[in-house]
Amino acid sequence: MSDLRVIIRRDSAEPEERTVTTGTTAAGLFEGERSVVAARVGGELRDLAHVLADGDTVEPVEITSQDGLDILRHSTAHVMAQAVQELFPEAKLGIGPPVKDGFYYDFDVDKPFHPDDLKAIEKKMQEIQKRGQRFSRRVVTDEQAREELAAEPYKLELIGLKGSAAGSDDGADVEVGGGELTIYDNLDAKTGELCWKDLCRGPHLPSTRYIPAFKLMRNAAAYWRGSEKNPMLQRIYGTAWPTKEELKAYLDFLEEAAKRDHRKLGTELDLFSIPEQIGSGLAVFHPRGGIVRRVMEDYSRRRHEEEGYEFVYTPHATKGTLFEISGHLDWYADGMYPPMQLDEGTDYYLKPMNCPMHNLIFDARGRSYRELPLRLFEFGTVYRYEKSGVVHGLTRARGFTQDDAHIYCTREQMADELDRTLTFVLGLLRDYGLTDFYLELSTKDPEKYVGSDEAWEEATETLRKVAEKQGLPLVPDPGGAAFYGPKISVQTKDAIGRSWQMSTVQLDFNLPERFDLQYTAADGSRQRPVMIHRALFGSIERFFAVLLEHYAGAFPAWLAPVQAVGIPVGDAHVPYLQEFAGEARRKGLRVEVDASSDRMQKKIRTHQKQRVPFMIIVGDEDMTNGTVSFRYRDGSQENGIPRDQALAKLVDIVERRVQV
């Protein structure tokens, strides 16, 4: 056999040149490295069975890497699909891609899966995993694929998509892409006989024994390829991890996340609801939720005023011509509610964005360079028609209020204003108790943008420099920008490590041109302003939900709907506490007294469940000495605090926004 030379690249290590014999596979190259489950050859992901060629550059893919996790989860999806078809032979296969922290597979079956079915499928998967079936890649022609998969109508449709499915967001690209068609056979480890097969691009693990830990999570209905025009299929979700310990940690994380679910807490704490009579994605805030929201807005309003923002108000509906000028009807019509025909056939729309109306405020009179930067701010309610399948509590709603700002400045002011804006955004988010951030730079979608390439390049580079000045990790998001300009997104991690997109800062050279916005420069010439879009919370509702989950309902005292509750030892102590609560309310504190007939210990348990920051307990000795006892959320207690000191303590904690 002749020798080949290949180059091995590993993270943060010098490339290694190695001589191997002809016919060597990636598995042979990394023999003994059990954690390696695939290889990247010449930049392309390949199975370990891939035969290497002279001059190949090869990178090992560890199971713990993102590519490795995707391969693990996609292979587990195949095992699940095999198990389903062994138990339900009539099931037709849809698509089974890896997703964040797991995988799913869609099936066309006569009736929805029952929880007992999932238990049986998982048991069958464990049997298949123990058999050590090999995943074997096989190249086929279109005709061969159609012949072999003639009983799988959804696979036949995918074969017809070859070339157009690459990069699709419906999961089709895991089955077919722009190149050759391949089928993966699951082969018996001992006999080599075919056990099951599926149309798939791969790559896959060497065998099912490389699947250490998995669990099926739930099932749901899903339209084929995400379109409401297509048949409804049954989707099974699962998760898979490199070790049983990691699987357990993930399941523990999900349990904690479920406890923090803002929809659950919203009901338990009587904060908000989404009545069926109003409609999906349209929330109403109850008195206690209204207090939290008002405090959030009031603090934001005060900080904006300190930063030189001017408040404006705009209507909820407008003539369609406004969105024709802005381009929203060309690029965003699918996300808008349908028009209402008024005034003899004129189309009116509920607004999905505030920016076109802010442009009209700028253009209402002549503007001078002396007025710039002009910072317009609004708590503006917008309406977006989200599909029912993606609406989720307050985090993905159809009607919500943005803390929306639009800044108009000169090109010379642009970089400084962006820097100032991003610094302000991060500072305000920290005030609400979020501290772990990274930034994401979304750049032009080549299929969906307006304006010149030069303007986009200038805007993108300016945003990149501003983001880098913050000293935070900067993650690229190619093609993720809106049609009118690139943006920086502030991403934060909550108390249990989940990432949330918060604020966006978007540079826009295009809308000022579409609205023909101008100002008079120092030399008397008419110039076009630069426009900066900025939503700090994203939306009030979504930020409310993020904070609710971050704090697990235990808001810091300054945000809590009830900051302290008076707990009398007996009925005789109620008037004393009511007097104390009255003094507290006059100082701007939110203090209540529990004068119910419940025993004291039950009252304490009740308000612990309501996550009230402080309990003010009063007995005979306190009444005699003019004191109160302070009980904290963690159960610790301070006794005999003079009333005036207790009030001063509460005021100080609230004013300094102390996290207790």
Side-chain angles (χ1 to χ4, degrees):
M1 285 190 178
S2 58
D3 291 336
L4 307 174
R5 287 188 297 177
V6 297
I7 297 171
I8 302 174
R9 292 188 182 274
R10 300 179 188 267
D11 290 342
S12 66
E14 290 294 319
E16 172 195 352
E17 186 174 296
R18 188 180 297 181
T19 301
V20 298
T21 57
T22 300
T24 296
T25 63
L29 191 65
F30 300 113
E31 187 175 3
E33 299 184 45
R34 176 72 181 182
S35 62
V36 175
V37 295
R40 193 174 286 278
V41 182
E44 295 291 326
L45 283 172
R46 300 292 185 188
D47 301 310
L48 286 181
H50 178 77
V51 178
L52 302 176
D54 189 43
D56 276 346
T57 297
V58 189
E59 302 169 61
V61 174
E62 304 269 347
I63 195 170
T64 54
S65 69
Q66 189 56 58
D67 285 334
L69 289 170
D70 286 345
I71 293 167
L72 163 65
R73 289 160 182 165
H74 187 41
S75 297
T76 312
H78 273 226
V79 171
M80 180 177 72
Q82 179 182 348
V84 167
Q85 289 200 313
E86 286 188 14
L87 293 170
F88 304 91
E90 78 286 354
K92 303 302 180 186
L93 299 174
I95 292 171
V99 293
K100 185 179 185 300
D101 296 331
F103 59 89
Y104 69 78
Y105 212 115
D106 291 339
F107 303 95
D108 191 347
V109 286
D110 294 336
K111 60 182 180 180
F113 292 109
H114 187 272
D116 288 341
D117 295 332
L118 265 61
K119 291 178 183 177
I121 294 166
E122 188 172 300
K123 184 178 180 181
K124 179 63 70 174
M125 290 173 67
Q126 291 167 350
E127 294 174 8
I128 295 169
Q129 186 271 339
K130 290 176 182 176
R131 292 177 204 159
Q133 293 178 2
R134 289 188 293 111
F135 291 96
S136 180
R137 181 177 183 269
R138 179 162 51 91
V139 178
V140 293
T141 65
D142 290 17
E143 292 73 19
Q144 288 172 325
R146 288 192 178 94
E147 182 179 345
E148 290 194 42
L149 300 169
E152 297 286 357
Y154 301 102
K155 300 296 182 181
L156 295 177
E157 180 179 329
L158 293 175
I159 294 168
L161 292 173
K162 188 179 75 170
S164 64
S168 66
D169 58 4
D170 59 10
D173 57 343
V174 304
E175 311 274 345
V176 294
E180 59 193 4
L181 283 179
T182 54
I183 286 177
Y184 271 81
D185 297 325
N186 281 28
L187 304 177
D188 184 271
K190 294 180 180 178
T191 66
E193 292 181 0
L194 178 67
C195 302
W196 187 78
K197 62 186 174 183
D198 195 7
L199 181 72
C200 185
R201 294 178 67 190
H204 279 282
L205 301 174
S207 83
T208 58
R209 287 197 179 275
Y210 279 71
I211 303 174
F214 62 86
K215 184 172 179 57
L216 299 188
M217 306 303 295
R218 61 188 175 91
N219 65 292
Y223 289 109
W224 166 239
R225 301 191 64 215
S227 172
E228 296 174 3
K229 298 176 182 178
N230 289 336
M232 182 76 79
L233 306 183
Q234 291 299 307
R235 175 174 295 178
I236 300 178
Y237 289 92
T239 188
W241 294 85
T243 66
K244 291 181 179 178
E245 291 75 19
E246 287 172 278
L247 173 61
K248 183 180 184 304
Y250 176 67
L251 296 177
D252 289 345
F253 163 81
L254 291 183
E255 185 178 349
E256 178 60 29
K259 293 176 184 175
R260 292 170 178 258
D261 189 316
H262 71 278
R263 297 166 299 175
K264 175 175 176 284
L265 291 173
T267 299
E268 290 177 358
L269 303 178
D270 194 21
L271 300 174
F272 69 89
S273 60
I274 303 175
E276 184 180 337
Q277 298 92 323
I278 296 178
S280 176
L282 301 167
V284 294
F285 281 77
H286 302 186
R288 292 196 172 189
I291 290 172
V292 179
R293 176 169 175 159
R294 176 178 55 78
V295 174
M296 287 169 54
E297 292 178 358
D298 286 351
Y299 182 71
S300 175
R301 183 178 288 107
R302 176 163 68 84
R303 293 286 286 111
H304 277 85
E305 289 171 346
E306 292 169 357
E307 280 293 309
Y309 286 80
E310 300 179 66
F311 279 76
V312 298
Y313 298 88
T314 59
H316 292 221
T318 175
K319 290 180 180 178
T321 51
L322 180 64
F323 295 125
E324 290 173 4
I325 297 170
S326 69
H328 284 94
L329 281 178
D330 293 330
W331 301 101
Y332 200 75
D334 289 346
M336 297 169 64
Y337 274 85
M340 302 171 282
Q341 290 201 334
L342 307 170
D343 300 340
E344 299 180 354
T346 301
D347 284 346
Y348 280 77
Y349 288 87
L350 292 172
K351 64 175 179 179
M353 310 279 186
N354 298 302
C355 44
M357 295 186 181
H358 288 191
N359 285 340
L360 297 183
I361 293 172
F362 180 94
D363 201 38
R365 62 173 176 81
R367 301 287 179 179
S368 164
Y369 73 96
R370 298 180 187 276
E371 297 177 73
L372 306 184
L374 176 64
R375 307 180 186 100
L376 302 182
F377 180 88
E378 176 180 15
F379 287 119
T381 300
V382 297
Y383 302 89
R384 299 178 185 175
Y385 183 68
E386 300 280 8
K387 291 183 178 180
S388 58
V390 299
V391 171
H392 183 83
L394 299 180
T395 58
R396 195 74 181 265
R398 288 175 168 170
F400 50 90
T401 302
Q402 292 186 303
D403 59 328
D404 215 358
H406 294 94
I407 302 165
Y408 304 87
C409 63
T410 68
R411 285 192 179 238
E412 293 74 23
Q413 295 168 332
M414 179 175 66
D416 286 343
E417 193 63 23
L418 284 167
D419 184 42
R420 174 176 177 166
T421 300
L422 188 53
T423 299
F424 172 60
V425 162
L426 289 166
L428 192 51
L429 290 175
R430 290 185 178 104
D431 288 347
Y432 287 93
L434 301 172
T435 57
D436 189 353
F437 302 107
Y438 67 94
L439 304 177
E440 191 172 80
L441 178 59
S442 300
T443 53
K444 181 178 66 180
D445 179 349
E447 303 298 324
K448 193 173 182 180
Y449 73 99
V450 293
S452 69
D453 290 338
E454 294 76 14
W456 274 84
E457 289 172 10
E458 179 185 355
T460 302
E461 188 56 29
T462 300
L463 280 176
R464 186 188 315 279
K465 291 178 180 177
V466 166
E468 289 171 349
K469 283 182 67 177
Q470 294 295 329
L472 296 170
L474 181 60
V475 178
D477 176 29
F483 67 88
Y484 48 78
K487 70 178 178 182
I488 294 172
S489 300
V490 177
Q491 310 280 340
T492 188
K493 290 188 177 180
D494 66 12
I496 58 174
R498 296 173 298 181
S499 291
W500 298 89
Q501 179 177 305
M502 289 286 98
S503 314
T504 56
V505 179
Q506 188 142 11
L507 195 53
D508 188 349
F509 294 142
N510 298 310
L511 282 186
E513 185 172 338
R514 294 179 75 96
F515 281 84
D516 194 26
L517 302 183
Q518 297 181 14
Y519 68 91
T520 303
D523 62 1
S525 63
R526 303 289 289 168
Q527 298 292 329
R528 189 87 66 204
V530 173
M531 184 179 181
I532 300 170
H533 304 251
R534 194 238 63 198
L536 196 150
F537 295 153
S539 80
I540 300 292
E541 289 81 359
R542 188 170 183 277
F543 192 60
F544 181 102
V546 170
L547 290 182
L548 183 56
E549 296 198 10
H550 175 63
Y551 289 116
F555 288 111
W558 75 281
L559 281 173
V562 178
Q563 294 167 330
V565 62
I567 305 290
V569 174
D571 291 344
H573 309 119
V574 170
Y576 181 89
L577 273 170
Q578 289 175 334
E579 186 179 316
F580 177 88
E583 291 180 52
R585 285 192 287 270
R586 286 190 288 274
K587 292 181 179 292
L589 298 171
R590 298 184 291 278
V591 178
E592 297 179 353
V593 176
D594 188 340
S596 69
S597 60
D598 292 335
R599 295 172 64 86
M600 184 181 77
Q601 290 304 321
K602 184 177 181 182
K603 292 179 182 181
I604 290 174
R605 288 195 299 272
T606 297
H607 297 291
Q608 279 179 328
K609 289 180 180 179
Q610 289 295 305
R611 279 79 161 179
V612 177
F614 305 106
M615 296 184 204
I616 310 299
I617 301 174
V618 167
D620 290 339
E621 190 174 334
D622 291 304
M623 286 182 60
T624 300
N625 297 330
T627 60
V628 298
S629 295
F630 246 61
R631 182 183 174 92
Y632 296 87
R633 276 190 181 126
D634 63 5
S636 61
Q637 193 163 311
E638 290 182 58
N639 299 322
I641 304 175
R643 281 172 54 162
D644 58 343
Q645 290 183 25
L647 286 170
K649 184 183 182 75
L650 283 173
V651 169
D652 178 64
I653 288 171
V654 170
E655 288 183 347
R656 292 192 297 115
R657 302 186 310 282
V658 176
Q659 307 292 319
V660 292

